[in-house]
Amino acid sequence: MNNIQVWRYLNRQLLVLGFFAASMQTVLADVVLFNGSEVAPNIAIFHVAEDGVYLDLEIYVDDVSLFAGLLPQRWAPDPGGNGRRLKQSPEHDESLGLSVIIGDGPALSPEIRKVEYRKRIDRASPLAGQRDPFSGQIVPSPPADPRVLFVNVFYPFLSPNPKTLTILPPSREGEPLATIGMQVFDRDVPVTDFKFLSKPAELKIHWADPWYSRFSAKNLNRKNQDGTSTFLYIEPREVRHETLIRLHELAPWIDETVGVGDKLSPQHGAKITKRAAKLLSSRNAVSIDGKPAQPAIATAELLTLTSKGFQVVEPGKEVSSNNAFVGAILSFPLADLPEHVTVTWDMFDEKISRVATISNDVAGPFFGAVTPVDPKFHWQNHLLKYERKSVSQIPVVRPEESRPGLAWATGIISAVSLLLVLAGTGKVLKRVSLAVLIFAVPATVYFSGSFTALAWRNASPPDPQTAAGILRSMIENLNTVNLETTPTARKAELTPIVTAASLDDIAAEIERGLTIRTPGGSLAAATDIGSPELERLDPISEPGGFQTLVKWSVQAEGGHWGHAHIRAVTFRALIEIVPEAGQWKLNGLTVIEARDPNA
């Protein structure tokens, strides 16, 4: 891992851990922090509802006997389909099952809805089994045997709206018998991230709004506790001001009335996001280098908070208002990095009294909060070294290059020799001058590159190794072009490296096939480009030009709403490159495939 990779890794970890400390979780949408509970041998997912508690339980095949008290008549089929009697335990039944207790009362009676052997749900990190380069620890993996006994259980409430629930794991003399990874939802709102259930866990239920339901043990509660947060992203070509706001906190500002437990239809959700984008584009003033700024683009998406962080709601899906957020993105395109950016937050009321903030640049992130007393959110440019990336032309390196200095020297020698031949008085001088002239004139022509230019008219395409180098430089240029935030700016950046005749078509193809975006719509920048693999290399009618079918991979990163998205994409494209005015230029581009190599 080189220094740049280490720096990026640390930035991503600081982005997560620092914002946790500011009480606003920046769970990554594509990268999730794993503590091992999500791949524990046994997984328990609890859902609190109006009528009771629903449990989806995955029991590791070797731990089935530890949950015997929960299973019907202590009976379960073995994975092969033959029935087998579980051994009687000398302990009390309460020690062999997951129990749910209301207050100080008795345990709720479980109703078994389904029992069947399955394969466990895959919740493992993509890095499972590998060593973390910083902690030195192995990233947790699930058990090698994927078989689990799936049990769907319902614990009906004895009376409506209990104030507290206590969840007890299988235990003996106060010690847990099984390793259980737990997640708890209260009416669609995640109360926990994945945590280990190793001792009784008391949940205080907030019936008026499940967002405020909490476990007494603070370490069990989800990291994200703020309903509203705001972000500044300082990118190479733009500033973005982004906002995450819970629908129940946004509703009064857009004249919406949303009740606890309401379901939002896709049509209603679209209306809400449209109103939110309009509202947030005109509130919370942004100034850049001391001047008021207006967003060029304002978009909003409906989101939900999940175990993998905030996720954009899929089109056509209904969503619970309890766990609905709106994520807004305001884009301010810039030619260069600003020196100072300020957001003045003005949306405060009885529900919004504190807004967590984060600003992120190549050296960030930086954390804070705004309040009615101190509503300004600042970013100051402290970068000591910053170089604006731009496309670079790719010179045509021919087998024999012109050498202007030598051409001038031999040319002068040729001229002097010619004068001496014509005007000289001595025979010896004329003969010497003629001999020098015979050698100097061809040398002048050679060093001027005239022979090379003549030969280039019938030149063959470069060899595969040279072509691969040209393609890599061109791909790097295309990724630089994709830093631009608008199609117009991207097209202008292409001009030095694309033939004029093909500019419109190639600009459109880059928009269609090469631009990488995050789920929120912001651009992702390439951080690593793999070596191009040439599948074909063919000559074309243009002398020296070539057409190739090439494959390459790109790792790209993009951030929004506190998420750091990391994507790997493999591209396959048909590319035509020609020499023009001493430079290699792109003359044709067709993206055939763009896919995740791990999919």
Side-chain angles (χ1 to χ4, degrees):
M1 185 175 286
N2 59 34
N3 290 338
I4 293 175
Q5 290 173 318
V6 169
W7 182 245
R8 288 172 179 157
Y9 181 92
L10 287 172
N11 275 344
R12 290 197 294 271
Q13 300 308 310
L14 286 171
L15 175 62
V16 177
L17 298 176
F19 212 24
F20 282 176
S23 76
M24 173 61 193
Q25 180 190 27
T26 55
V27 177
L28 311 180
D30 296 330
V31 178
V32 183
L33 290 180
F34 290 84
N35 60 23
S37 60
E38 72 290 334
V39 291
N42 306 285
I43 299 292
I45 310 294
F46 293 90
H47 293 267
V48 178
E50 298 286 344
D51 57 346
V53 179
Y54 293 80
L55 167 64
D56 287 336
L57 177 62
E58 294 180 4
I59 305 174
Y60 180 47
V61 66
D62 289 343
D63 288 350
V64 171
S65 62
L66 302 179
F67 293 83
L70 186 64
L71 300 175
Q73 300 178 355
R74 301 174 181 267
W75 176 266
D78 66 19
N82 299 317
R84 68 180 174 90
R85 179 75 59 181
L86 295 171
K87 294 181 180 180
Q88 284 288 125
S89 170
E91 305 298 329
H92 294 295
D93 289 347
E94 288 80 7
S95 69
L96 292 178
L98 279 175
S99 301
V100 178
I101 297 174
I102 292 180
D104 296 328
L108 297 177
S109 299
E111 297 178 3
I112 307 300
R113 301 290 179 86
K114 181 180 286 187
V115 181
E116 64 182 19
Y117 275 96
R118 296 180 177 179
K119 287 188 176 181
R120 71 170 52 244
I121 295 174
D122 184 9
R123 303 178 180 90
S125 163
L127 302 177
Q130 300 181 37
R131 188 175 298 279
D132 184 284
F134 292 93
S135 68
Q137 297 180 345
I138 301 297
V139 178
S141 300
D145 190 337
R147 294 174 300 167
V148 295
L149 180 66
F150 174 78
V151 187
N152 178 251
V153 189
F154 175 54
Y155 301 87
F157 290 147
L158 301 176
S159 58
N161 299 351
K163 293 182 179 180
T164 63
L165 297 175
T166 301
I167 301 172
L168 289 83
S171 60
R172 179 175 296 142
E173 298 179 356
E175 294 297 324
L177 296 176
T179 303
I180 302 173
M182 174 185 72
Q183 194 171 23
V184 178
F185 295 83
D186 181 4
R187 288 158 290 166
D188 299 315
V189 176
V191 183
T192 68
D193 305 317
F194 261 107
K195 301 291 183 180
F196 285 106
L197 176 63
S198 58
K199 58 184 179 181
E202 182 186 58
L203 173 64
K204 298 177 181 179
I205 302 176
H206 194 287
W207 287 103
D209 189 344
W211 180 257
Y212 300 103
S213 293
R214 300 284 188 273
F215 277 95
S216 298
K218 292 183 179 180
N219 66 301
L220 292 179
N221 294 312
R222 66 177 183 271
K223 302 302 181 184
N224 188 338
Q225 297 296 330
D226 288 309
T228 300
S229 51
T230 191
F231 312 84
L232 272 176
Y233 284 93
I234 314 300
E235 303 285 4
R237 303 293 196 273
E238 73 171 343
V239 168
R240 291 198 312 278
H241 177 217
E242 306 185 357
T243 299
L244 266 178
I245 182 167
R246 191 169 175 245
L247 179 56
H248 281 278
E249 297 182 6
L250 174 67
W253 296 90
I254 57 173
D255 298 322
E256 282 281 344
T257 301
V258 181
V260 172
D262 286 356
K263 297 293 183 181
L264 303 179
S265 67
Q267 295 77 16
H268 193 186
K271 182 177 71 171
I272 286 172
T273 54
K274 184 177 180 180
R275 287 183 179 178
K278 183 178 180 181
L279 170 78
L280 293 169
S281 65
S282 61
R283 302 299 297 257
N284 313 313
V286 176
S287 66
I288 301 176
D289 290 336
K291 298 179 181 179
Q294 295 298 320
I297 303 172
T299 61
E301 297 280 359
L302 201 61
L303 312 169
T304 57
L305 179 60
T306 73
S307 60
K308 294 185 178 180
F310 287 99
Q311 301 288 316
V312 176
V313 175
E314 295 180 15
K317 282 206 170 183
E318 190 177 69
V319 63
S320 169
S321 67
N322 293 351
N323 193 29
F325 280 76
V326 170
I329 300 178
L330 309 182
S331 174
F332 303 84
L334 295 173
D336 213 339
L337 210 64
E339 291 301 314
H340 187 76
V341 181
T342 299
V343 175
T344 303
W345 189 267
D346 61 17
M347 291 174 60
F348 292 106
D349 57 18
E350 63 278 3
K351 287 188 175 182
I352 306 175
S353 59
R354 177 189 179 278
V355 178
T357 66
I358 182 170
S359 59
N360 198 42
D361 58 24
V362 296
F366 307 97
F367 311 97
V370 291
T371 64
V373 176
D374 185 12
K376 290 186 181 291
F377 169 30
H378 303 278
W379 174 85
Q380 181 70 44
N381 187 356
H382 293 295
L383 301 174
L384 299 178
K385 292 184 179 180
Y386 173 75
E387 184 177 346
R388 187 184 190 276
K389 290 187 68 175
S390 59
V391 300
S392 56
Q393 292 186 319
I394 309 167
V396 175
V397 180
R398 297 171 180 174
E400 297 174 344
E401 288 291 331
S402 64
R403 302 175 188 176
L406 292 174
W408 274 104
T410 54
I412 292 171
I413 293 172
S414 298
V416 172
S417 299
L418 180 62
L419 287 174
L420 292 174
V421 168
L422 296 176
T425 56
K427 291 184 178 180
V428 174
L429 180 61
K430 284 189 175 185
R431 288 175 180 173
V432 171
S433 299
L434 181 61
V436 172
L437 184 64
I438 291 172
F439 285 101
V441 170
T444 302
V445 175
Y446 175 80
F447 290 129
S448 69
S450 299
F451 288 151
T452 304
L454 185 63
W456 190 255
R457 293 179 183 175
N458 298 312
S460 300
D463 61 82
Q465 184 177 355
T466 302
I470 295 168
L471 284 164
R472 182 174 180 85
S473 297
M474 190 63 72
I475 291 166
E476 289 174 350
N477 276 329
L478 295 180
N479 283 294
T480 299
V481 168
N482 275 333
L483 294 175
E484 301 292 342
T485 58
T486 66
T488 301
R490 285 192 281 275
K491 184 176 177 180
E493 192 77 3
L494 278 171
T495 304
I497 58 169
V498 174
T499 60
S502 302
L503 182 60
D504 289 340
D505 290 341
I506 289 175
E509 185 65 2
I510 288 172
E511 293 292 318
R512 183 195 71 82
L514 291 185
T515 301
I516 303 174
R517 294 187 179 274
T518 66
S522 61
L523 290 169
T527 57
D528 186 58
I529 304 170
S531 298
E533 300 176 18
L534 278 63
E535 298 181 17
R536 284 175 48 194
L537 182 62
D538 301 315
I540 58 175
S541 58
E542 180 77 16
F546 62 94
Q547 185 182 80
T548 180
L549 184 62
V550 61
K551 183 170 68 174
W552 74 95
S553 61
V554 170
Q555 181 170 295
E557 295 184 16
H560 66 85
W561 303 319
H563 308 50
H565 292 272
I566 304 172
R567 292 193 62 191
V569 183
T570 295
F571 293 102
R572 191 164 175 259
L574 187 64
I575 294 178
E576 182 174 291
I577 293 179
V578 298
E580 183 179 281
Q583 309 293 332
W584 290 111
K585 290 196 174 184
L586 193 61
N587 194 49
L589 173 67
T590 303
V591 179
I592 298 171
E593 185 179 41
R595 66 180 181 86
D596 181 348
N598 298 316

